[in-house]
Amino acid sequence: MSDSEDESSDKQLKIVIMGDGASGKTSLATRYSQEQFKKQYGQTVGLDFYLKRIVLPGNVHVALQVWDIGGQTLGGKMLENYIYGSHGALLVYDITSYASFENLEDWYNMVKKVYGKESRLPHMALVGNKSDLEHMRTVKLDKHQKFAQEHGMSSHFVSAKTGDTVNLCFQRVAAEILGIKLTKPEVEQQQRVVKAEIIQYSNDAAAKPIPTQTKSSFCTLQ
């Protein structure tokens, strides 16, 4: 079987990532698709596109097209085109920024506007990012859960910085879109145990391992 035939056998899912600027959308996308985290913040202008292939239970091969939508595009002319045709939408906020959480209502309403004439919305997921900064949380857990329940969304907490439950988030979203149930062992396999970072005030800094990059591709549209 040729590569093109193999790729065509994948189930194609379009996942859009939306939310305020600096909420960590691009970090989430690059952590998932490339196993990378950039410390410097760079604003996404327009759209970044990533591709990740995964295998779900039952040997279901899925090609996830991850669309990282710039935070400043809310109300922009192209936003509706970016959202249209999506199978899933991740509404991402920073758990240390209450404003980024409040503004999710506008992003949700934009999805409703695009799909207003259709009977069903794409799968909607509420994603609280920067779980590694739990001690700085300003959005209470009950606020998160209430928003998810009222809007019929799945609930996720991730850390793009450490990678904690990032793979699990996308795995769960893809599985729910396709109606595939993940078993407890499969869920546990996608979870990562993240140890608290210990800061040592000495001149000897432990060498940090370089993360291994996974095969992926991306392009940028403006």
Side-chain angles (χ1 to χ4, degrees):
M1 181 181 291
S2 67
D3 289 343
S4 59
E5 289 174 335
D6 184 49
E7 290 177 8
S8 64
S9 66
D10 290 346
K11 291 185 179 298
Q12 306 283 334
L13 292 181
K14 175 183 175 181
I15 308 295
V16 294
I17 304 180
M18 300 182 294
D20 281 8
S23 61
K25 301 185 304 296
T26 299
S27 294
L28 179 61
T30 54
R31 166 62 73 184
Y32 178 62
S33 63
Q34 302 173 357
E35 282 295 323
Q36 289 183 335
F37 178 80
K38 295 180 180 180
K39 294 183 178 180
Q40 289 80 17
Y41 170 66
Q43 187 180 59
T44 299
V45 178
L47 172 76
D48 279 349
F49 173 85
Y50 303 84
L51 181 66
K52 179 74 176 271
R53 289 186 170 84
I54 62 174
V55 181
L56 292 176
N59 199 33
V60 178
H61 291 252
V62 182
L64 286 180
Q65 302 171 5
V66 181
W67 296 49
D68 170 25
I69 298 175
Q72 81 286 357
T73 58
L74 185 60
K77 295 181 180 179
M78 291 299 295
L79 181 57
E80 292 187 23
N81 293 334
Y82 295 158
I83 296 172
Y84 187 77
S86 58
H87 300 91
L90 273 59
L91 269 59
V92 180
Y93 72 95
D94 173 358
I95 66 168
T96 71
S97 167
Y98 196 80
S100 70
F101 175 75
E102 283 186 313
N103 292 335
L104 289 184
E105 191 72 42
D106 293 332
W107 290 99
Y108 179 84
N109 288 333
M110 179 56 67
V111 178
K112 283 188 65 177
K113 178 182 177 183
V114 172
Y115 288 87
K117 296 180 181 180
E118 300 185 17
S119 58
R120 292 186 61 184
L121 295 176
H123 175 85
M124 304 291 291
L126 178 61
V127 182
N129 187 30
K130 305 187 183 181
S131 61
D132 54 292
L133 300 178
E134 180 65 32
H135 60 291
M136 297 172 60
R137 171 187 288 277
T138 59
V139 182
K140 293 183 179 180
L141 290 174
D142 59 343
K143 287 276 189 181
H144 172 105
Q145 299 298 353
K146 183 180 179 181
F147 188 95
Q149 291 172 2
E150 289 180 347
H151 295 79
M153 305 173 71
S154 59
S155 171
H156 311 263
F157 289 101
V158 301
S159 169
K161 181 177 181 179
T162 66
D164 186 32
T165 69
V166 169
N167 284 345
L168 177 60
C169 173
F170 283 91
Q171 190 96 344
R172 282 179 54 196
V173 168
E176 290 185 31
I177 291 171
L178 296 172
I180 297 173
K181 285 192 175 183
L182 298 178
T183 64
K184 186 176 180 180
E186 288 162 345
V187 170
E188 292 173 348
Q189 185 180 5
Q190 293 299 327
Q191 289 177 319
R192 289 181 50 181
V193 178
V194 180
K195 296 180 179 179
E197 183 177 357
I198 300 176
I199 302 175
Q200 296 180 348
Y201 295 95
S202 66
N203 293 327
D204 298 327
K208 296 183 178 179
I210 300 175
T212 303
Q213 293 188 21
T214 57
K215 183 179 179 182
S216 61
S217 59
F218 67 95
C219 64
T220 302
L221 301 175
Q222 295 186 358

